[in-house]
Amino acid sequence: MTIARRDLILSAAALAIGAGSAAAFGATRPDRKLGYAIVGLGSYGLDVIIPQFANCTHSRLAAVVSGDPVKARRVAAAHGLPASGIYSYETFDSIRDNPDVDIVYVCLPNALHAAYTIRAAKAGKHVLCEKPMAVSVAECEAMIAACKAANRKLMIGYRCHFEAYNLEAMRLARTGAAGKIRYVRSEHGFVQRDPAKWRLKRALSGGGSLMDMGIYSLQAARYMIGEEPIAVTARESTDRRDPRFTEVEDMLDWTLEFPSGAMAGCQSMYSANQNRILLMGDAGRIELEPATRYDGNQMWVGKDGRERAVLPPGGPGKTQFAGQLDHLATCVSSGREPIVSGEEGLRDMRIVEAIYRSAREGRTIRLDGRA
Ligand code: NAD
């Protein structure tokens, strides 16, 4: 199957989920919502993901895993979980004996993704792992192998594949609304203020803005163009005297070349707020700003500017978070592969490693195996 055809199918499936339909994924078991264990009660796991089970049709919260027993008990009590649904990082492996838990959702710092994904698979659980999938290609490959060996599903938390505006932009791009797509610009960043944050510690983050916000820029370039890049050229700009950036990069700017001749200019940074995606075709443009936020995203189409605001078809439907949680649950029930599988995370990590290498060596890195 060609990449473009694969992505068309993925987008169509995701559109159905985004609109709140589970029918696209075939037989599910309406009698039982699948149980998730959330690993890591930090800002994303606790404040963003856990409240979203209220919007789910096929998923429910079944357990929490935390290093803070007081917090774990408080969250469990607030959500009606039994004591058997509370784990520490030390007792995590005994989750294998809990039939209430079908899926483990890893919401930990990046460098812990691989270890907890592999432990979850060994405990017989399916895995939803946050982005970036891990901190190296080798870790991604080990995670995929562990899930395959245990015959468990592995999905990456690429929520934008369930976000209504991104899905509509993909649909418009694929149906030629802007003509032949020649260029995508995708920029993501925020001001990272606290030098003590794990995101600025290489041992936990694996890298700087690229590992965090750059993943959105890279993903958008790939899913908007619908092809795999064949070469990358990157440059870095970091003030190493700034105490925030002694270990990881601030800003990366990279250009991806695609087989059709399309190009993508991508950026990530930790020193300014930005969140936008622009698609330029030979017959018009599609623009999203903000593009990949939790909510409040906006979109326009036009010839030269933002001529017409676009709403996604059918309104907002299910939230992107509930869409992603239910997608994996229905994949588990129906035996289908998630549209954003471990292989998709691995593809990104191969490009991430090439971006860093290009910036370090000051040259273009080929991604298609050609010298
Ligand atoms: P956070 O710092 O708010 O939470 C991290 C959690 O991990 C905390 O509960 C912390 O106690 C726990 N933890 C366990 N071991 C730790 C250790 N050795 N060092 C530090 N913390 C440890 O971070 P977050 O913003 O919730 O991010 C968690 C993951 O979620 C990251 O991989 C991040 O990229 C991802 N994330 C994704 C999105 C998205 O939109 N998809 C948004 C935010 C974060």
Side-chain angles (χ1 to χ4, degrees):
M1 195 189 298
T2 64
I3 296 296
R5 167 125 180 93
R6 175 184 66 90
D7 281 2
L8 264 179
I9 292 168
L10 299 187
S11 303
L15 270 172
I17 279 287
S21 162
F25 293 95
T28 57
R29 293 169 49 193
D31 55 316
R32 181 175 175 268
K33 289 184 174 187
L34 296 202
Y36 272 85
I38 302 297
V39 188
L41 299 179
S43 59
Y44 197 61
L46 181 58
D47 301 333
V48 179
I49 293 300
I50 287 182
Q52 288 292 329
F53 287 104
N55 299 321
C56 287
T57 317
H58 305 290
S59 318
R60 68 191 162 80
L61 181 65
V64 290
V65 184
S66 171
D68 179 343
V70 175
K71 189 197 270 186
R73 277 198 296 276
R74 177 172 53 77
V75 175
H79 294 273
L81 300 183
S84 58
I86 301 175
Y87 296 86
S88 67
Y89 298 119
E90 290 72 34
T91 63
F92 172 64
D93 302 290
S94 66
I95 210 161
R96 73 165 45 104
D97 303 319
N98 188 343
D100 229 21
V101 173
D102 302 281
I103 301 168
V104 165
Y105 190 165
V106 180
C107 295
L108 293 168
N110 309 341
L112 303 175
H113 290 184
Y116 281 83
T117 294
I118 292 167
R119 283 169 73 179
K122 286 187 172 159
K125 307 302 178 185
H126 304 278
V127 183
L128 178 51
C129 177
E130 255 318 309
K131 47 60 58 176
M133 178 172 173
V135 296
S136 69
V137 164
E139 282 191 351
C140 295
E141 288 172 343
M143 293 158 78
I144 291 170
C147 290
K148 279 215 167 86
N151 196 22
R152 301 293 88 176
K153 305 270 180 226
L154 172 56
M155 172 166 152
I156 309 306
Y158 286 146
R159 58 180 170 75
C160 296
H161 289 257
F162 305 91
E163 198 279 331
Y165 288 92
N166 282 264
L167 291 170
E168 179 62 359
M170 272 187 250
R171 191 189 68 78
L172 289 174
R174 300 289 194 280
T175 53
K180 184 175 163 59
I181 300 297
R182 296 286 297 135
Y183 181 71
V184 167
R185 180 98 203 132
S186 183
E187 299 157 325
H188 288 82
F190 70 97
V191 182
Q192 181 70 264
R193 294 186 194 283
D194 181 359
K197 281 273 189 262
W198 66 261
R199 282 182 169 78
L200 298 173
K201 305 293 169 205
R202 181 170 291 279
L204 283 169
S205 61
S209 67
L210 174 59
M211 294 299 265
D212 195 48
M213 302 306 284
I215 293 291
Y216 293 97
S217 298
L218 172 56
Q219 267 279 302
R222 290 181 53 241
Y223 63 66
M224 291 302 183
I225 292 177
E227 300 172 25
E228 291 305 317
I230 53 174
V232 61
T233 311
R235 280 175 306 163
E236 182 195 328
S237 171
T238 303
D239 180 356
R240 295 288 173 186
R241 294 163 305 178
D242 186 322
R244 296 172 298 169
F245 303 122
T246 54
E247 295 189 26
V248 300
E249 81 280 359
D250 171 12
M251 182 163 72
L252 267 165
D253 193 284
W254 67 98
T255 301
L256 296 167
E257 296 166 47
F258 291 85
S260 65
M263 297 183 87
C266 301
Q267 200 188 60
S268 65
M269 62 204 298
Y270 270 160
S271 54
N273 295 322
Q274 54 177 352
N275 190 305
R276 70 182 144 248
I277 303 170
L278 169 69
L279 288 79
M280 297 295 306
D282 58 11
R285 54 196 270 158
I286 302 167
E287 195 170 356
L288 296 89
E289 186 175 14
T292 62
R293 292 230 171 108
Y294 295 164
D295 52 34
N297 293 325
Q298 294 190 64
M299 179 172 154
W300 296 266
V301 296
K303 286 259 178 267
D304 303 308
R306 295 175 167 182
E307 275 100 307
R308 184 167 66 84
V310 179
L311 294 176
K318 199 179 273 191
T319 68
Q320 56 187 318
F321 311 98
Q324 101 174 343
L325 290 164
D326 274 352
H327 176 62
L328 182 54
T330 53
C331 284
V332 167
S333 299
S334 67
R336 297 194 187 199
E337 273 310 298
I339 58 169
V340 277
S341 62
E343 280 77 5
E344 178 69 2
L346 171 61
R347 279 181 208 111
D348 279 341
M349 197 50 59
R350 286 201 175 107
I351 302 168
V352 162
E353 288 193 351
I355 292 169
Y356 279 129
R357 192 170 153 214
S358 172
R360 214 172 39 240
E361 298 181 5
R363 65 184 180 92
T364 297
I365 303 293
R366 304 263 347 158
L367 298 162
D368 56 0
R370 285 173 45 196

